[in-house]
Amino acid sequence: CSSDAVVEDNAADNAIQFSAAAGKASRAADYYCNANLPADFHVWASVNGKQYFADETYAKGKGSTYSITGGVERYWPNEEISFFAAKNYDAFNWNVATASTMTITPALAAKDQKDLLYAYTVSNRGTNNNFNAGKAKLNFRHALSQVVFYALNENSKIYVEIENISLNNAAATGTFT
């Protein structure tokens, strides 16, 4: 480098961080919502159609701020960056150029089931609606739904006991694209 070369500033305040939100809570045993955000999640990123980093773990710090743990600190590039984040998946096949897929096999016991969360955002260091105080905003969505059955009997003189409920043709595993 010559003394005239400009070097990007990789100071701590330029490190990629996230702020997270998770919509309404689901019915899974391990549920997430804004009042109960996940302790960590995995993030994949691309810049200009090329991988920037893959499968890095970001852990919760103060409030809803998430920073990298155990990996190499990543810094904001000057270009727009695409982020995909996920929590509680079995396998993830991330592809920058085509659709990515995530597989999940829910636990059979309801008490062991977990929410499958995902988030996608495009952000940069400039001013936009997906960037706030050095953090990209990730709005997590629930990718699975739990089926719940209710029985209603408004007559107190009649006792109803449900012997069996059957749900047919439900997949035991699935791929989320």
Side-chain angles (χ1 to χ4, degrees):
C1 293
S2 73
S3 59
D4 295 332
V6 177
V7 179
E8 265 189 62
D9 180 20
N10 285 341
D13 61 348
N14 193 31
I16 293 175
Q17 293 184 322
F18 299 96
S19 64
K24 298 177 182 174
S26 71
R27 294 182 185 97
D30 186 11
Y31 72 92
Y32 300 110
C33 62
N34 283 338
N36 184 36
L37 293 170
D40 61 18
F41 50 78
H42 294 261
V43 180
W44 294 258
S46 63
V47 175
N48 292 327
K50 295 181 181 161
Q51 178 179 314
Y52 186 55
F53 63 85
D55 199 16
E56 293 287 355
T57 303
Y58 278 75
K60 192 171 187 293
K62 288 185 176 183
S64 64
T65 299
Y66 288 80
S67 301
I68 196 164
T69 60
V72 177
E73 189 84 81
R74 305 296 179 169
Y75 299 96
W76 286 99
N78 290 325
E79 299 86 14
E80 194 170 68
I81 184 167
S82 299
F83 297 106
F84 188 90
K87 177 72 176 173
N88 295 330
Y89 55 91
D90 291 333
F92 189 58
N93 179 22
W94 184 65
N95 191 322
V96 175
T98 61
S100 299
T101 59
M102 199 177 336
T103 57
I104 181 79
T105 303
L108 292 177
K111 67 178 180 61
D112 298 327
Q113 293 174 354
K114 297 180 178 181
D115 277 353
L116 172 60
L117 296 179
Y118 73 96
Y120 175 79
T121 191
V122 176
S123 191
N124 60 32
R125 289 170 42 187
T127 304
N128 67 31
N129 61 357
N130 292 326
F131 190 78
N132 183 28
K135 297 179 275 286
K137 295 179 185 178
L138 289 175
N139 187 10
F140 281 94
R141 306 276 188 227
H142 300 272
L144 294 176
S145 295
Q146 184 182 42
V147 178
V148 178
F149 296 94
Y150 291 100
L152 179 64
N153 176 11
E154 294 180 359
N155 188 335
S156 62
K157 295 179 180 181
I158 298 176
Y159 173 75
V160 177
E161 184 174 317
I162 298 171
E163 186 175 303
N164 191 356
I165 294 178
S166 177
L167 183 62
N168 297 313
N169 298 321
T173 187
T175 300
F176 179 73
T177 304

